[in-house]
PDB file of all heavy atoms in Angstrom:
ATOM      1  N   ALA G 233     -39.559 -13.407  47.985  1.00 95.00           N
ATOM      2  CA  ALA G 233     -38.771 -12.167  48.169  1.00 95.00           C
ATOM      3  C   ALA G 233     -39.473 -11.258  49.087  1.00 95.00           C
ATOM      4  O   ALA G 233     -38.900 -10.631  50.001  1.00 95.00           O
ATOM      5  CB  ALA G 233     -38.502 -11.395  46.823  1.00 95.00           C
ATOM      6  N   ALA G 234     -40.855 -11.035  48.962  1.00 88.00           N
ATOM      7  CA  ALA G 234     -41.542 -10.208  49.844  1.00 88.00           C
ATOM      8  C   ALA G 234     -41.647 -10.728  51.230  1.00 88.00           C
ATOM      9  O   ALA G 234     -41.535  -9.947  52.159  1.00 88.00           O
ATOM     10  CB  ALA G 234     -43.021 -10.059  49.273  1.00 88.00           C
ATOM     11  N   HIS G 235     -41.657 -12.068  51.415  1.00 90.00           N
ATOM     12  CA  HIS G 235     -41.564 -12.514  52.812  1.00 90.00           C
ATOM     13  C   HIS G 235     -40.192 -12.172  53.351  1.00 90.00           C
ATOM     14  O   HIS G 235     -40.078 -11.887  54.511  1.00 90.00           O
ATOM     15  CB  HIS G 235     -41.753 -14.077  52.781  1.00 90.00           C
ATOM     16  CG  HIS G 235     -43.167 -14.547  52.525  1.00 90.00           C
ATOM     17  ND1 HIS G 235     -43.559 -15.502  51.803  1.00 90.00           N
ATOM     18  CD2 HIS G 235     -44.428 -13.846  52.907  1.00 90.00           C
ATOM     19  CE1 HIS G 235     -44.834 -15.690  51.720  1.00 90.00           C
ATOM     20  NE2 HIS G 235     -45.367 -14.524  52.291  1.00 90.00           N
ATOM     21  N   ALA G 236     -39.174 -12.335  52.504  1.00 95.00           N
ATOM     22  CA  ALA G 236     -37.916 -12.008  53.061  1.00 95.00           C
ATOM     23  C   ALA G 236     -37.766 -10.486  53.387  1.00 95.00           C
ATOM     24  O   ALA G 236     -37.207 -10.120  54.550  1.00 95.00           O
ATOM     25  CB  ALA G 236     -36.775 -12.261  51.867  1.00 95.00           C
ATOM     26  N   VAL G 237     -38.447  -9.622  52.668  1.00 94.00           N
ATOM     27  CA  VAL G 237     -38.374  -8.238  53.034  1.00 94.00           C
ATOM     28  C   VAL G 237     -39.057  -7.948  54.353  1.00 94.00           C
ATOM     29  O   VAL G 237     -38.567  -7.338  55.194  1.00 94.00           O
ATOM     30  CB  VAL G 237     -39.173  -7.374  51.850  1.00 94.00           C
ATOM     31  CG1 VAL G 237     -39.286  -5.955  52.313  1.00 94.00           C
ATOM     32  CG2 VAL G 237     -38.412  -7.373  50.586  1.00 94.00           C
ATOM     33  N   ALA G 238     -40.214  -8.621  54.506  1.00 88.00           N
ATOM     34  CA  ALA G 238     -40.930  -8.469  55.930  1.00 88.00           C
ATOM     35  C   ALA G 238     -40.086  -9.078  56.945  1.00 88.00           C
ATOM     36  O   ALA G 238     -40.013  -8.450  58.037  1.00 88.00           O
ATOM     37  CB  ALA G 238     -42.251  -9.071  55.791  1.00 88.00           C
ATOM     38  N   ALA G 239     -39.360 -10.146  56.771  1.00 92.00           N
ATOM     39  CA  ALA G 239     -38.560 -10.724  57.768  1.00 92.00           C
ATOM     40  C   ALA G 239     -37.367  -9.789  58.123  1.00 92.00           C
ATOM     41  O   ALA G 239     -36.978  -9.681  59.209  1.00 92.00           O
ATOM     42  CB  ALA G 239     -38.112 -12.113  57.381  1.00 92.00           C
ATOM     43  N   ILE G 240     -36.812  -9.267  57.049  1.00 95.00           N
ATOM     44  CA  ILE G 240     -35.635  -8.339  57.258  1.00 95.00           C
ATOM     45  C   ILE G 240     -36.080  -7.129  58.096  1.00 95.00           C
ATOM     46  O   ILE G 240     -35.449  -6.654  59.009  1.00 95.00           O
ATOM     47  CB  ILE G 240     -35.021  -7.917  55.936  1.00 95.00           C
ATOM     48  CG1 ILE G 240     -34.326  -9.139  55.255  1.00 95.00           C
ATOM     49  CG2 ILE G 240     -34.023  -6.721  56.092  1.00 95.00           C
ATOM     50  CD1 ILE G 240     -34.008  -8.872  53.777  1.00 95.00           C
ATOM     51  N   MET G 241     -37.342  -6.629  57.791  1.00 90.00           N
ATOM     52  CA  MET G 241     -37.723  -5.341  58.432  1.00 90.00           C
ATOM     53  C   MET G 241     -38.306  -5.683  59.867  1.00 90.00           C
ATOM     54  O   MET G 241     -38.512  -4.754  60.576  1.00 90.00           O
ATOM     55  CB  MET G 241     -38.909  -4.779  57.556  1.00 90.00           C
ATOM     56  CG  MET G 241     -38.427  -4.247  56.327  1.00 90.00           C
ATOM     57  SD  MET G 241     -37.096  -2.951  56.434  1.00 90.00           S
ATOM     58  CE  MET G 241     -37.998  -1.551  57.171  1.00 90.00           C
ATOM     59  N   ALA G 242     -38.445  -6.914  60.193  1.00 84.00           N
ATOM     60  CA  ALA G 242     -38.904  -7.245  61.506  1.00 84.00           C
ATOM     61  C   ALA G 242     -37.779  -7.558  62.567  1.00 84.00           C
ATOM     62  O   ALA G 242     -38.010  -7.746  63.737  1.00 84.00           O
ATOM     63  CB  ALA G 242     -39.895  -8.453  61.453  1.00 84.00           C
ATOM     64  N   GLN G 243     -36.623  -7.532  62.123  1.00 88.00           N
ATOM     65  CA  GLN G 243     -35.504  -7.750  63.046  1.00 88.00           C
ATOM     66  C   GLN G 243     -34.774  -6.287  63.182  1.00 88.00           C
ATOM     67  O   GLN G 243     -34.943  -5.416  62.443  1.00 88.00           O
ATOM     68  CB  GLN G 243     -34.567  -8.962  62.669  1.00 88.00           C
ATOM     69  CG  GLN G 243     -34.097  -8.902  61.168  1.00 88.00           C
ATOM     70  CD  GLN G 243     -32.853  -7.944  61.048  1.00 88.00           C
ATOM     71  OE1 GLN G 243     -31.927  -8.048  61.811  1.00 88.00           O
ATOM     72  NE2 GLN G 243     -32.983  -7.004  60.081  1.00 88.00           N
ATOM     73  N   PRO G 244     -33.892  -6.243  64.365  1.00 87.00           N
ATOM     74  CA  PRO G 244     -33.408  -4.949  64.628  1.00 87.00           C
ATOM     75  C   PRO G 244     -32.469  -4.241  63.699  1.00 87.00           C
ATOM     76  O   PRO G 244     -32.317  -3.107  63.793  1.00 87.00           O
ATOM     77  CB  PRO G 244     -32.841  -5.154  66.068  1.00 87.00           C
ATOM     78  CG  PRO G 244     -33.320  -6.504  66.572  1.00 87.00           C
ATOM     79  CD  PRO G 244     -33.629  -7.290  65.333  1.00 87.00           C
ATOM     80  N   VAL G 245     -31.788  -5.062  62.849  1.00 91.00           N
ATOM     81  CA  VAL G 245     -30.865  -4.378  61.956  1.00 91.00           C
ATOM     82  C   VAL G 245     -31.546  -3.846  60.745  1.00 91.00           C
ATOM     83  O   VAL G 245     -31.931  -4.680  59.847  1.00 91.00           O
ATOM     84  CB  VAL G 245     -29.745  -5.316  61.526  1.00 91.00           C
ATOM     85  CG1 VAL G 245     -28.680  -4.653  60.616  1.00 91.00           C
ATOM     86  CG2 VAL G 245     -29.020  -5.992  62.696  1.00 91.00           C
ATOM     87  N   VAL G 246     -31.741  -2.452  60.641  1.00 94.00           N
ATOM     88  CA  VAL G 246     -32.400  -1.936  59.491  1.00 94.00           C
ATOM     89  C   VAL G 246     -31.439  -1.666  58.488  1.00 94.00           C
ATOM     90  O   VAL G 246     -30.369  -0.905  58.642  1.00 94.00           O
ATOM     91  CB  VAL G 246     -33.054  -0.618  59.911  1.00 94.00           C
ATOM     92  CG1 VAL G 246     -33.808  -0.082  58.704  1.00 94.00           C
ATOM     93  CG2 VAL G 246     -34.055  -0.813  61.092  1.00 94.00           C
ATOM     94  N   PRO G 247     -31.525  -2.269  57.174  1.00 97.00           N
ATOM     95  CA  PRO G 247     -30.691  -2.057  56.127  1.00 97.00           C
ATOM     96  C   PRO G 247     -30.678  -0.614  55.658  1.00 97.00           C
ATOM     97  O   PRO G 247     -31.742  -0.009  55.816  1.00 97.00           O
ATOM     98  CB  PRO G 247     -31.140  -3.012  54.986  1.00 97.00           C
ATOM     99  CG  PRO G 247     -32.260  -3.790  55.537  1.00 97.00           C
ATOM    100  CD  PRO G 247     -32.674  -3.127  56.816  1.00 97.00           C
ATOM    101  N   CYS G 248     -29.591  -0.072  55.084  1.00 97.00           N
ATOM    102  CA  CYS G 248     -29.680   1.263  54.564  1.00 97.00           C
ATOM    103  C   CYS G 248     -30.149   1.263  53.132  1.00 97.00           C
ATOM    104  O   CYS G 248     -30.286   2.314  52.445  1.00 97.00           O
ATOM    105  CB  CYS G 248     -28.318   1.906  54.761  1.00 97.00           C
ATOM    106  SG  CYS G 248     -26.939   1.149  53.832  1.00 97.00           S
ATOM    107  N   ALA G 249     -30.259   0.083  52.512  1.00 97.00           N
ATOM    108  CA  ALA G 249     -30.972  -0.073  51.240  1.00 97.00           C
ATOM    109  C   ALA G 249     -31.515  -1.376  51.157  1.00 97.00           C
ATOM    110  O   ALA G 249     -30.926  -2.412  51.639  1.00 97.00           O
ATOM    111  CB  ALA G 249     -29.969   0.184  50.136  1.00 97.00           C
ATOM    112  N   LEU G 250     -32.790  -1.502  50.652  1.00 97.00           N
ATOM    113  CA  LEU G 250     -33.427  -2.795  50.548  1.00 97.00           C
ATOM    114  C   LEU G 250     -34.269  -2.679  49.263  1.00 97.00           C
ATOM    115  O   LEU G 250     -35.468  -2.299  49.321  1.00 97.00           O
ATOM    116  CB  LEU G 250     -34.296  -3.103  51.651  1.00 97.00           C
ATOM    117  CG  LEU G 250     -35.073  -4.343  51.810  1.00 97.00           C
ATOM    118  CD1 LEU G 250     -34.235  -5.543  51.377  1.00 97.00           C
ATOM    119  CD2 LEU G 250     -35.582  -4.620  53.186  1.00 97.00           C
ATOM    120  N   GLU G 251     -33.600  -2.888  48.119  1.00 96.00           N
ATOM    121  CA  GLU G 251     -34.198  -2.738  46.732  1.00 96.00           C
ATOM    122  C   GLU G 251     -34.630  -3.924  46.101  1.00 96.00           C
ATOM    123  O   GLU G 251     -33.946  -4.954  46.364  1.00 96.00           O
ATOM    124  CB  GLU G 251     -33.186  -2.017  45.851  1.00 96.00           C
ATOM    125  CG  GLU G 251     -32.560  -0.704  46.467  1.00 96.00           C
ATOM    126  CD  GLU G 251     -33.616   0.396  46.321  1.00 96.00           C
ATOM    127  OE1 GLU G 251     -33.977   0.790  45.205  1.00 96.00           O
ATOM    128  OE2 GLU G 251     -34.080   0.911  47.374  1.00 96.00           O
ATOM    129  N   PHE G 252     -35.554  -4.001  45.249  1.00 94.00           N
ATOM    130  CA  PHE G 252     -35.948  -5.230  44.630  1.00 94.00           C
ATOM    131  C   PHE G 252     -36.268  -4.969  43.111  1.00 94.00           C
ATOM    132  O   PHE G 252     -36.431  -3.826  42.644  1.00 94.00           O
ATOM    133  CB  PHE G 252     -37.078  -5.895  45.307  1.00 94.00           C
ATOM    134  CG  PHE G 252     -38.459  -5.503  44.648  1.00 94.00           C
ATOM    135  CD1 PHE G 252     -39.145  -6.295  43.678  1.00 94.00           C
ATOM    136  CD2 PHE G 252     -39.019  -4.263  44.888  1.00 94.00           C
ATOM    137  CE1 PHE G 252     -40.315  -5.812  43.166  1.00 94.00           C
ATOM    138  CE2 PHE G 252     -40.242  -3.812  44.394  1.00 94.00           C
ATOM    139  CZ  PHE G 252     -40.775  -4.654  43.442  1.00 94.00           C
TER     140      PHE G 252
END
Side-chain angles (χ1 to χ4, degrees):
Chain G
H235 289 145
V237 170
I240 292 166
M241 293 302 288
Q243 52 81 51
V245 180
V246 182
C248 64
L250 180 46
E251 302 287 297
F252 91 101

